[in-house]
Amino acid sequence: MSGLEKALFNLKFTAKQLNRQAAKAGKDEVAEKNKLKKAIQQNHSDIAKIYAQNAIRKQNEKLNLLRLASRIDAVSSRVQTAVTMRQVTGSMANVVRGMDSAMKAMDLEKISNVMDKFETQFEDLDVATGYYENATSQATAVGTPQDDVDKLMSQVADEAGVELQTEMRNAEAPVKVTAGPSEVEEEGLGERLRALRN
């Protein structure tokens, strides 16, 4: 294993570890939010603030780990491309040497075999290059359109805001609810009233 291949392995391993740590931080964040919700429902505002701070800290930790993992993954893709290009360069050098010897001998069969080998390697290069270009574009897909990001963030904020506002109202003062007649009862009462008028 060459130095580049070892570096590639270490980069992939590190990215995987960072993604695992980010997932753990995400679980911790959810747990802190659940504790926060419970503290709000029990009217413990001081404890709720502590849980909110913990949840925000875990969220920031998760985001930082994901950003770092994404950067390492992008570097890993570039190193993978370098390893592939080095291998292709070596193969092309062998083909050129073979072509030199075939041209000296002017053996058409040898030239044909060398050219066939070159074409297959060239096709392999196209496939590998396409794959790594695709991988690189996916790794750097972090730059998504800002409008999509803003839309998703406002949607999630609206959902969370509505839920949080109703919980805060419930925690502040219990609202007295008077039970009114249901639709079926109301229709029945309307029919009875019409019958009495007639």
Side-chain angles (χ1 to χ4, degrees), residues 12-160:
K12 287 183 177 182
F13 183 72
T14 303
K16 195 175 222 180
Q17 282 183 322
L18 288 172
N19 283 323
R20 283 185 186 149
Q21 290 174 355
K24 183 182 181 313
K27 288 179 185 177
D28 292 346
E29 175 192 1
V30 169
E32 292 296 327
K33 283 182 179 179
N34 289 337
K35 291 176 186 177
L36 168 65
K37 187 176 182 179
K38 197 175 202 180
I40 289 173
Q41 289 171 345
Q42 295 174 352
N43 287 331
H44 298 301
S45 60
D46 291 340
I47 295 171
K49 285 180 186 177
I50 292 170
Y51 289 141
Q53 290 170 351
N54 289 345
I56 290 170
R57 185 174 40 81
K58 286 295 181 181
Q59 181 183 24
N60 290 336
E61 180 182 345
K62 177 181 76 171
L63 289 174
N64 289 335
L65 288 169
L66 287 174
R67 279 189 198 108
L68 186 58
S70 175
R71 287 180 181 166
I72 289 175
D73 193 41
V75 171
S76 169
S77 294
R78 290 187 179 119
V79 170
Q80 179 67 53
T81 302
V83 167
T84 303
M85 293 307 288
R86 190 183 65 196
Q87 291 171 348
V88 168
T89 303
S91 296
M92 288 176 73
N94 288 338
V95 169
V96 168
R97 276 188 232 115
M99 285 176 64
D100 282 344
S101 65
M103 294 298 276
K104 286 179 185 173
M106 287 306 281
D107 185 358
L108 291 178
E109 189 177 331
K110 260 188 174 177
I111 293 173
S112 176
N113 289 338
V114 169
M115 291 306 290
D116 288 344
K117 185 177 177 185
F118 180 78
E119 285 180 23
T120 58
Q121 287 181 348
F122 191 73
E123 288 171 2
D124 293 344
L125 172 64
D126 278 346
V127 170
T129 304
Y131 174 78
Y132 292 118
E133 284 176 0
N134 185 29
T136 302
S137 68
Q138 288 177 356
T140 56
V142 176
T144 56
Q146 189 63 34
D147 292 340
D148 294 347
V149 173
D150 292 341
K151 185 195 282 186
L152 178 62
M153 287 178 65
S154 67
Q155 178 185 355
V156 171
D158 288 345
E159 291 172 5

